[in-house]
C-alpha cells in the first residue's frame, strides 16, 4: 500500500469538553471525543480509555481473525489518523483489574505531585493589615462599606486570608468573601522595577506558576472573570506572586476591572509584609497605586481612600530614608483628609488620624520645632474629638499614644508650659502604671522615669533634688521586681543627670549605684549583652566627667576597650563610631602635645565616618567639629581640615536650630575663623535655645568685644548695637 507514514507529534492535553474527556492532538489533527454519540457506548471504562475516532470502524486492529481479515480488506479512510485501540484488552474482564489499579496509581501520583508543588511555594506569611497592627487603629465600617446597589458589599480592608474565589474550593475559615476587593499594577509599562520585585524570575516562582496555569495549545487568554477568581483563590492561599501573574493579562485590557486592581493591591500589600528594605518599600507603594487606580473608577468609596492611606503608612515604616518617609506620611495624611471630606469621621477614624499625625510629627525633627509642634497639635485635636468614655481610649496602645503626644508637646514647648505638660504626662503615666498588667508595667515605668528626667531640666536646684528623691521612693520597689532591661537603663540615665547636681564625691557615689544595675541588665538580656555593654561604655564616659586625673583616664580607656570588643554587627556602625569619637575627644582633653593631636585626629575621623553612615548625623557633626576645633587650638589644623570645619559650622547652624550645644560649637568655629558678627549671632541663637549662662556668656562676650574692635564706629552699627543690648540683657538675667 502506497500510504505515507503517519506524522509523529506529542500528545498534550488541550482543554476539557463537557463530557469530561480531553481533546487530543494526534498526528497533526485535533480529535474530539464522540463517545456520547455512540449507541454502543456501554461502559464507563471504554469512555475513559478507548475513545473512538470519527469513523469507529476505520483502522482498528482486532484480536479475532475475522476482524483482522475485515480490517485488511477495508483500507483506512484517513491515512493521517493512526490510533490503535486494543479491543481485546478493553472488552476482556481479565484485564479490567489491571487497568483500574493503574488508574488509581495515576490518581495517587497526581495528588502527590500537586501537594509537592504547593509545598515548594511560600507558606502563608503573616498578613497584618495596618488596622490590625499595634501602631494603627481599626476604622468602623461606613454606610457605603456595608451596602451598595447590588446588595451587601465587602470592605476593601478585609484581610487577604478572607479572600475566596467564586466557585472555588473554600479556604479554611474564610470570614468575608472578597467580592469587592481589588488589586495592584502588574506589567505596567512605566513601572518595570516593581514588576521585577514582585515577580522574580527564580526557579521557585516559575515552578509555582506552572502549577497554577496549565498550558493550552490554542494559546488563548483567560477571560477577566476566570483570571480574577483564580487570583482570589491564590491570594487566599498565601500565593501573592502567582495571583499577580494570573492577573497580568487582565491589566493588558483597555479598561481593567476595578476589582482586579483591588486584588492586586492586596497582593502587593502581602508582598510588602513578607519582604524588607527597598523592595518592601516599592511593593507598599505599588499597593497604594493599585488602590488609587481602583478609587479612580469609583471616587466615592471611602474604604479605598483608607486603603491608599494605610499603604502609604506602611511604606513610611519600611523605608530608612527620612525624605521618603516624610513623602509617604504626607501622602497618607492627604488621603485621610480626603476621606474626612467625603464622610464624617468616627472615633476610630480620629484615633487613626491621631496616630498618623504623631508619626508625621516624629519624622519632622529635622524640619524644626514649629513644624513638629503643628503636627502634634493636630494629633491632640483628633484625640480630643473622641469622647473620654469611649472604649477605644481604654486600650493600652491608645493610652500610650495619648501620652506620647503629651510628651512631644512638652518637648517642643518652653518654660513653664513645658513643665506643666511634663507634669500632666507623668500623672497619666502614674495612673496607667497602677492599672497596668505585668506585661506592660515595665514599659510604663521606663516612660515615667524618662519623663521625670526631662522635667527636672525645667526646675531649679532644690526642687530638682526633691523631685528625684520622691521618684526614687516611688519606683524603687518596682525596679527591684522588674525583669526588663528598659526600666534599668532609664534609671541609669537618670543617675547620670542626678550626679550632675551633686558635688564631686557625692556624684561619684551616686554613679556607683549604676554598676549593680548594669550587672542585672546583662543577666536579663536574652539576646546577649551587646546592647548592655554599649550602654555601659556610655555610662563610663559620663562617669569620667566627675573624676580627676588618672582615674578619669582609666575609666575612659575601659569604655574604649568595651567598644572595641563589640562584634561588628552588634549595633549600627554609626552609633559605635560616634561613641568612640566622644571617648577620643575626652582623652585628647586630658593629654597634650602629640598625644592630644593623635586623639583629636582619631576623634575627627571616627565622627566623620559616623556622619556618613547615619541618617541623623548631627551628633557626629558636633563631635567632629569639636575635634577639629581642638586641632585648631593646638595649631595642627591643615587647610583641608579648616575647610571641613567651616562646612561643619554651616551644617550645625542649619540642622541644630533648637539645639544649644550645636549652635554654641558653630559660634566657636565662626569666632576661630574671624567671623565675629556671625559668632555673636549664633551665641544669641544658642541663648534663645536654652543654653546656660556659664556655657554661652564667655564666648558671646569675646565675640562681641572683638566685633566692636573690628568696627570703626561700633556705636553706629545697628547690628552690633542690637546684639550688644541682647548680651547685656542675658548677662543680667537669672
Amino acid at each position: 500500500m502506497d500510504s505515507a507514514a503517519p506524522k509523529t507529534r506529542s500528545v498534550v492535553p488541550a482543554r476539557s469538553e463537557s463530557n469530561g474527556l480531553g481533546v487530543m492532538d494526534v498526528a497533526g489533527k485535533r480529535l474530539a471525543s464522540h463517545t456520547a454519540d455512540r449507541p454502543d457506548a456501554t461502559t464507563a471504562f471504554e469512555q475513559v480509555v478507548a475513545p473512538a475516532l470519527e469513523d469507529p470502524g476505520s483502522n482498528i486492529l482486532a484480536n479475532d481473525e475475522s476482524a483482522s481479515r475485515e480490517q485488511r480488506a477495508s483500507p483506512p479512510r484517513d491515512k493521517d489518523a493512526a490510533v490503535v485501540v486494543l479491543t481485546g484488552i478493553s472488552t476482556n474482564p481479565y484485564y479490567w483489574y489491571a487497568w483500574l489499579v493503574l488508574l488509581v496509581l495515576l490518581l495517587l501520583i497526581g495528588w502527590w505531585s500537586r501537594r509537592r508543588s504547593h509545598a515548594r511555594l511560600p507558606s502563608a506569611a503573616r498578613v497584618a493589615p495596618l488596622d490590625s497592627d499595634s501602631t494603627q487603629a481599626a476604622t468602623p465600617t461606613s454606610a457605603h462599606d456595608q451596602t451598595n446597589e447590588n446588595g451587601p458589599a465587602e470592605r476593601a480592608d478585609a484581610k487577604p486570608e478572607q479572600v475566596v474565589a467564586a466557585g472555588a474550593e473554600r479556604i479554611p475559615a474564610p470570614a468575608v468573601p472578597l467580592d469587592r476587593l481589588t488589586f495592584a499594577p502588574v506589567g505596567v509599562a512605566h513601572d518595570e522595577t516593581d514588576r521585577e520585585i514582585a515577580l522574580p524570575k527564580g526557579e521557585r516562582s516559575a515552578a509555582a506558576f506552572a502549577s497554577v496555569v496549565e498550558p493550552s495549545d490554542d494559546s488563548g487568554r483567560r477571560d477577566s472573570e476566570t483570571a480574577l477568581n483564580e487570583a482570589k483563590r491564590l491570594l487566599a492561599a498565601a500565593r501573592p506572586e502567582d495571583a499577580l501573574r494570573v492577573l497580568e493579562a487582565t491589566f493588558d485590557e483597555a479598561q481593567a476591572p476595578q476589582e482586579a486592581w483591588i486584588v492586586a493591591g492586596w497582593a502587593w500589600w502581602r508582598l510588602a509584609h513578607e519582604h524588607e528594605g527597598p523592595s518592601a518599600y516599592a511593593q507598599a507603594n505599588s499597593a497604594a497605586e493599585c488602590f488609587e487606580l481602583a478609587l479612580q473608577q469609583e471616587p466615592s468609596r471611602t474604604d479605598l481612600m483608607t486603603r491608599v492611606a494605610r499603604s502609604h503608612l506602611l511604606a513610611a515604616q519600611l523605608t530608612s530614608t527620612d525624605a521618603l518617609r516624610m513623602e509617604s506620611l504626607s501622602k497618607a495624611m492627604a488621603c485621610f483628609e480626603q476621606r474626612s471630606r467625603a464622610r464624617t469621621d468616627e472615633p476610630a477614624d480620629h484615633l487613626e488620624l491621631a496616630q498618623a499625625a504623631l508619626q508625621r510629627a516624629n519624622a519632622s525633627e529635622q524640619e524644626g520645632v514649629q513644624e513638629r509642634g503643628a503636627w502634634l497639635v493636630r494629633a491632640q485635636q483628633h484625640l480630643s474629638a473622641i469622647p473620654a468614655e469611649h472604649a477605644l481610649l481604654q486600650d493600652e496602645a491608645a493610652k500610650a499614644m495619648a501620652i506620647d503626644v503629651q510628651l512631644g508637646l512638652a518637648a517642643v514647648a518652653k518654660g513653664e508650659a513645658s513643665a506643666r505638660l511634663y507634669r500632666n504626662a507623668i500623672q497619666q503615666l502614674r495612673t496607667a502604671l497602677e492599672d497596668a498588667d505585668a506585661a506592660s508595667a515595665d514599659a510604663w515605668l521606663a516612660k515615667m522615669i524618662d519623663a521625670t528626667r526631662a522635667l527636672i531640666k525645667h526646675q531649679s536646684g532644690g526642687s530638682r533634688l526633691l523631685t528625684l528623691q520622691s521618684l526614687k521612693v516611688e519606683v524603687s520597689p518596682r525596679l527591684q521586681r522588674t525583669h526588663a532591661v528598659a526600666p534599668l537603663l532609664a534609671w541609669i540615665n537618670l543617675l547620670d543627670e542626678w550626679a550632675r547636681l551633686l558635688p564631686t564625691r557625692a556624684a561619684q557615689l551616686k554613679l556607683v549605684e549604676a554598676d549593680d544595675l548594669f550587672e542585672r541588665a546583662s543577666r536579663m538580656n536574652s539576646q546577649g549583652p551587646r546592647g548592655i555593654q554599649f550602654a555601659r561604655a556610655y555610662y563610663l564616659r559620663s562617669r569620667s566627667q566627675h573624676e580627676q586625673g588618672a582615674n578619669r583616664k582609666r575609666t575612659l580607656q575601659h569604655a574604649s576597650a568595651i567598644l572595641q570588643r563589640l562584634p561588628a554587627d552588634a549595633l549600627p556602625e554609626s552609633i559605635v563610631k560616634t561613641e568612640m569619637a566622644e571617648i577620643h575627644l575626652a582623652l585628647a582633653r586630658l593629654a597634650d602635645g602629640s598625644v592630644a593631636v593623635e586623639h583629636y585626629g582619631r576623634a575627627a575621623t571616627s565622627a566623620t565616618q559616623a556622619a556618613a553612615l547615619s541618617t541623623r548625623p548631627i551628633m557626629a557633626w558636633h563631635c567632629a567639629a569639636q575635634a577639629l576645633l581642638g586641632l585648631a587650638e593646638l595649631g595642627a589644623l591643615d587647610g583641608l581640615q579648616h575647610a571641613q570645619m567651616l562646612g561643619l559650622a554651616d551644617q550645625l547652624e542649619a540642622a541644630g536650630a533648637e539645639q544649644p550645644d550645636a549652635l554654641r560649637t558653630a559660634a566657636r568655629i565662626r569666632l576661630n575663623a574671624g567671623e565675629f558678627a556671625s559668632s555673636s549671632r549664633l551665641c544669641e541663637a544658642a541663648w534663645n535655645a536654652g543654653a546656660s549662662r556659664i556655657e554661652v556668656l564667655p564666648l558671646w562676650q569675646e565675640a562681641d568685644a572683638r566685633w566692636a574692635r573690628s568696627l570703626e564706629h561700633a556705636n553706629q552699627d545697628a547690628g552690633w548695637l542690637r546684639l550688644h543690648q541682647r548680651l547685656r540683657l542675658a548677662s543680667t538675667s537669672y
Side-chain angles (χ1 to χ4, degrees), residues 599-679:
H599 281 299
Y600 277 131
R602 296 176 67 178
T605 301
S606 295
T608 302
Q609 293 173 350
L613 296 171
S614 177
T615 57
R616 296 182 179 178
I618 188 168
M619 292 182 61
W621 288 340
H622 187 220
C623 184
Q626 292 183 87
L628 293 174
L629 274 171
L631 289 173
E633 292 172 357
L634 294 174
L637 195 68
D638 58 29
L640 182 61
Q641 290 173 327
H642 186 268
Q644 181 186 0
M645 184 177 67
L646 294 178
L648 287 171
D650 294 335
Q651 291 171 321
L652 290 174
E653 183 178 355
E658 299 294 332
Q659 300 191 25
D661 290 340
L663 294 172
R664 186 166 51 87
T665 300
R668 287 182 59 198
I669 294 175
R670 298 302 184 196
L671 181 63
N672 181 272
E675 301 175 10
F676 309 125
S678 295
S679 178

Side-chain angles (χ1 to χ4, degrees), residues 296-491:
Q296 289 177 7
Q297 298 187 29
E298 193 176 353
S300 61
R301 283 191 62 176
T302 56
D303 58 327
L304 288 179
M305 300 175 192
T306 301
R307 290 287 6 135
V308 174
R310 291 176 183 171
S311 298
H312 286 306
L313 288 177
L314 178 61
Q317 295 174 5
L318 293 173
T319 182
S320 59
T321 306
D322 290 337
L324 295 178
R325 183 182 300 108
M326 295 275 291
E327 180 183 0
S328 296
L329 289 172
S330 298
K331 291 179 179 178
M333 291 302 301
C335 293
F336 281 134
E337 291 170 358
Q338 180 185 5
R339 185 189 66 182
S340 299
R341 291 191 297 268
R343 63 173 170 83
T344 304
D345 287 326
E346 300 291 336
D349 297 331
H350 284 295
L351 192 63
E352 188 172 36
L353 284 164
Q355 176 68 27
L358 178 60
Q359 292 184 32
R360 182 65 176 81
N362 292 335
S364 303
E365 293 182 1
Q366 299 292 333
E367 295 180 338
V369 174
Q370 292 184 348
E371 180 72 15
R372 186 166 185 260
W375 285 106
L376 288 168
V377 168
R378 291 182 62 177
Q380 182 64 38
Q381 290 172 347
H382 286 298
L383 288 173
S384 301
I386 305 174
E389 67 280 0
H390 200 281
L392 285 174
L393 295 181
Q394 309 308 315
D395 182 71
E396 292 288 331
K399 290 180 181 179
M401 182 175 62
I403 292 173
D404 285 343
V405 172
Q406 285 286 317
L407 292 174
L409 289 171
V412 300
K414 294 181 180 180
E416 182 57 30
S418 177
R420 184 178 64 256
L421 289 170
Y422 275 123
R423 284 192 290 268
N424 293 339
I426 291 172
Q427 184 58 41
Q428 293 179 29
L429 285 165
R430 187 176 287 111
T431 303
L433 186 59
E434 294 173 355
D435 300 335
D437 54 14
S440 56
D442 292 328
W444 294 121
L445 181 60
K447 279 182 176 289
M448 184 174 175
I449 295 172
D450 288 337
T452 305
R453 183 161 61 95
L455 173 64
I456 62 175
K457 296 179 179 179
H458 297 277
Q459 297 176 331
S460 59
S463 58
R464 289 181 182 182
L465 293 175
L466 289 175
T467 300
L468 292 172
Q469 290 288 355
S470 176
L471 180 67
K472 182 178 180 179
V473 172
E474 183 177 2
V475 304
S476 290
R478 294 184 181 275
L479 288 173
Q480 294 296 329
R481 299 193 304 266
T482 186
H483 295 284
V485 174
L488 298 180
L489 293 181
W491 188 254

